[in-house]
Amino acid sequence: MHPRDHSHDSRPAIIMADSGGTVSFAELDARANRVSHLLRARGLQAGDRIALWIDNSPYYHEIAWGAYNAGLLFVPISTRLKAEEAAYIVRDSGSALLFASPSVDCAGMAAILGEEVEMLILGDSYDRAVAPLPTTPIPDETRGSAMVYSAGTTGRPKGITPHLTPAPIGEPHPLTTTLIDLFQLDANTIYLSPAPLYHTAPLKWTMAVQQAGGTAVIMEKFDAAAALRALETHRVTHSQWVATMFVRMLQLDEQQRRFDNSAHRFAIHSAAPCPVPVKEAMMDWWGPILHEYYGGSESVGQTAIGPQEWLQRKGSVGRATRGILHIVDEAGHELGPHQTGLVMFEGCGGFTYHNDPEKTGRAYDARGWATFGDIGHVDEDGYLFLTDRRDYVINAGGVNIYPQEAENLLSTHPAVQDVAVFGVPNAEYGEEVKAVVQPRDPAAAGPALAGELIDWCRARLATNKCPRSIDFEADMPREPTGKLLKRLLKARYWPQPSGENHV
């Protein structure tokens, strides 16, 4: 199962929702083959890495499929990152080539990397490099994979490296097969992807749709009203969202919310917990077509829940569809129904955190069970309910934000004595970034210093990683060993759970 299986016809593999640009399966296969030839011409073999610092565009899939067909690991990088942040990922991943959109800071990246890594700019040096290359497949095709980046113990992101084994390109990864079967993806699927392709789910899902022979309709940038128009215009059958997108669509006025939803059969959501009232409102509006799944870039397991099941168990993320689900206490002992502990999966482990054996070790136990690091409980029928996260990852609108980067940066400001960064409730995004600062001069605490620190952070990090607000403390809670008791600070901003048996 592969997009090439459908290259005999002119059906679109890609439609850009805003511009209307299309790429047929035949065109996608030809362009991907040129990329594969380019990679081999640069001396890259199966298991090598390339990086993609690219906006949503047809270029994304031709490069991703070209790397996939050549057995490479391709590393998506957020276009929101500044050049120094993106360069860290390029270097850490060992990427030999960087493909970049002209809209990102190519000059800044070039100044940092120099001749260390070749950078090909879309619409410029990239187009010249692939133009003369063959559109036929390379002779030694083998299945590759994405290598996405997550948080590391130092605050720097860490690559999630899948265990690659040689396999034909037409043999999908088991996760892809699960998605295709679970959500009935086929050649009649028209799938709307409203999120950036540098995120794991949008990239993997659009590629799964193309493997099944369906069409991926890709928004260049999310807009609530435009998303509804795209659902109607393209007769979309499947779509995927995060809870923040639901909130924004529900905030539209009555006229903007009117659209023909008759073709829409699967509205899938994941990445961040969806508040029960928001999901209820979406069900009332779109009908019982909302499907939810829980998983992660590490692919250690997955749960899913359909609309009718959810209406009977509101707040659940479903039962296991990949792997065997376990809830364990701090000692690793399995817990019973309604007991809260660490969520683990058996039978799907197969990754390492690149250059971080400590973080890899924390993801597995002695039995080989693996975890995303989330806390939750199951009911008597095995339905999972998530309640917390093991670490202090901030989930803002489905995007994971790792507070250590902002915390480390703010700690270097001359006005800061001590600092903690964590997530606090946000009605639209679920969470937002908050900093609590102990100033060197207590008299300086106030709005002026808060604004200065926020601006200082935004000049050095991607805006979404920076605090949206800052509070001040005369003294920070620390253990005698010096460990910051961040949980005590965070607890002040969050409602305290009740009614569960926490272990």
Side-chain angles (χ1 to χ4, degrees):
M1 187 178 295
H2 189 274
R4 182 175 299 153
D5 298 338
H6 311 280
S7 63
H8 59 279
D9 60 44
S10 58
R11 291 185 306 107
I14 301 166
I15 299 175
M16 300 306 298
D18 297 336
S19 67
T22 65
V23 178
S24 70
F25 277 98
E27 292 169 328
L28 177 60
D29 186 56
R31 295 180 187 185
N33 289 336
R34 281 177 167 157
V35 172
S36 297
H37 281 284
L38 172 68
L39 300 175
R40 289 290 188 263
R42 293 298 195 272
L44 301 182
Q45 301 298 321
D48 290 334
R49 290 102 191 252
I50 63 169
L52 287 69
W53 200 22
I54 303 176
D55 293 320
N56 281 13
S57 74
Y59 283 115
Y60 221 115
H61 285 95
E62 66 185 66
I63 296 171
W65 279 118
Y68 178 99
N69 296 347
L72 270 66
L73 293 170
F74 44 101
V75 181
I77 300 176
S78 168
T79 55
R80 299 181 67 174
L81 296 184
K82 299 186 186 304
E84 185 175 351
E85 298 168 288
Y88 165 79
I89 295 176
V90 174
R91 285 170 165 162
D92 184 73
S93 65
S95 292
L97 280 175
L98 170 63
F99 298 84
S101 293
S103 58
V104 300
D105 186 7
C106 296
M109 180 67 82
I112 295 169
L113 295 179
E115 297 182 0
E116 179 182 346
V117 176
E118 181 182 5
M119 179 167 59
L120 295 174
I121 300 174
L122 310 183
D124 189 3
S125 53
Y126 167 77
D127 294 54
R128 293 195 299 272
V130 297
L133 297 177
T135 59
T136 52
I138 58 173
D140 57 343
E141 290 183 323
T142 185
R143 188 179 71 194
S145 178
M147 175 182 174
V148 299
Y149 264 67
S150 184
T153 55
T154 64
R156 288 283 202 173
K158 289 296 178 183
I160 300 170
T161 308
H163 293 173
L164 276 183
T165 55
I169 63 170
E171 183 179 307
H173 186 277
L175 174 59
T176 301
T177 302
T178 299
L179 297 179
I180 289 172
D181 293 341
L182 187 62
F183 298 105
Q184 302 173 28
L185 305 179
D186 58 24
N188 296 313
T189 297
I190 302 175
Y191 175 86
L192 179 66
S193 182
L197 291 170
Y198 56 70
H199 289 314
T200 307
L203 181 57
K204 288 188 175 181
W205 271 83
T206 51
M207 293 182 75
V209 167
Q210 291 163 352
Q211 282 174 289
T215 298
V217 179
I218 299 167
M219 297 186 71
E220 283 86 341
K221 184 178 180 181
F222 174 72
D223 174 83
L228 298 181
R229 290 195 298 271
L231 288 171
E232 178 175 287
T233 300
H234 299 286
R235 303 289 293 165
V236 167
T237 62
H238 295 64
S239 60
Q240 186 169 184
W241 315 87
V242 296
T244 301
M245 295 175 179
F246 289 157
V247 172
R248 292 187 179 180
M249 289 187 289
L250 287 166
Q251 290 172 343
L252 296 172
D253 62 40
E254 184 178 351
Q255 182 61 36
Q256 290 176 307
R257 287 177 56 175
R258 292 177 181 170
F259 76 106
D260 182 355
N261 197 34
S262 57
H264 204 186
R265 297 188 290 115
F266 289 84
I268 304 156
H269 70 98
S270 185
C274 184
V276 169
V278 172
K279 189 162 180 176
E280 288 174 330
M282 290 301 299
M283 289 269 206
D284 290 342
W285 180 16
W286 286 6
I289 64 169
L290 268 66
H291 295 253
E292 184 171 1
Y293 72 94
Y294 162 66
S297 302
E298 294 87 345
S299 298
V300 302
Q302 182 182 327
T303 69
I305 189 166
Q308 299 300 335
E309 293 174 289
W310 186 86
L311 288 169
Q312 299 300 316
R313 297 173 175 82
K314 293 182 179 180
S316 174
V317 295
R319 292 193 287 187
T321 54
R322 290 191 68 242
I324 301 170
L325 176 62
H326 302 275
I327 307 295
V328 303
D329 64 15
E330 292 181 359
H333 300 135
E334 189 146 14
L335 301 173
H338 301 289
Q339 290 184 300
T340 298
L342 183 65
V343 180
M344 303 201 78
F345 289 89
E346 174 187 356
C348 292
F351 77 96
T352 57
Y353 289 109
H354 185 57
N355 292 332
D356 197 336
E358 179 183 349
K359 186 175 177 65
T360 301
R362 291 180 66 214
Y364 293 91
D365 70 5
R367 295 163 291 201
W369 299 358
T371 181
F372 296 115
D374 290 313
I375 303 297
H377 70 275
V378 294
D379 66 12
E380 295 84 352
D381 298 315
Y383 284 85
L384 175 63
F385 294 77
L386 298 175
T387 56
D388 203 349
R389 290 174 180 264
R390 181 172 65 177
D391 299 320
Y392 288 100
V393 179
I394 300 167
N395 196 306
V399 178
N400 283 344
I401 298 170
Y402 308 107
Q404 192 66 51
E405 285 188 82
E407 201 164 276
N408 290 346
L409 178 61
L410 286 168
S411 69
T412 66
H413 191 283
V416 174
Q417 176 70 33
D418 206 352
V419 59
V421 178
F422 47 86
V424 297
N426 178 286
E428 181 178 11
Y429 290 96
E431 291 185 73
E432 68 179 60
V433 183
K434 162 76 74 175
V436 175
V437 168
Q438 178 185 340
R440 292 186 181 275
D441 177 9
L449 179 57
E452 176 186 338
L453 294 175
I454 291 171
D455 290 343
W456 190 80
C457 190
R458 287 179 175 178
R460 292 162 176 81
L461 283 180
T463 302
N464 67 320
K465 297 181 181 180
C466 300
R468 297 183 64 176
S469 60
I470 294 179
D471 291 344
F472 294 94
E473 291 286 331
D475 194 32
M476 301 286 272
R478 287 188 178 272
E479 291 181 344
T481 59
K483 180 181 178 181
L484 178 65
L485 298 173
K486 190 186 294 187
R487 60 181 173 81
L488 299 181
L489 291 169
K490 185 174 181 179
R492 301 174 188 175
Y493 298 88
W494 287 86
Q496 297 305 299
S498 61
E500 285 296 328
N501 180 17
H502 289 269
V503 177

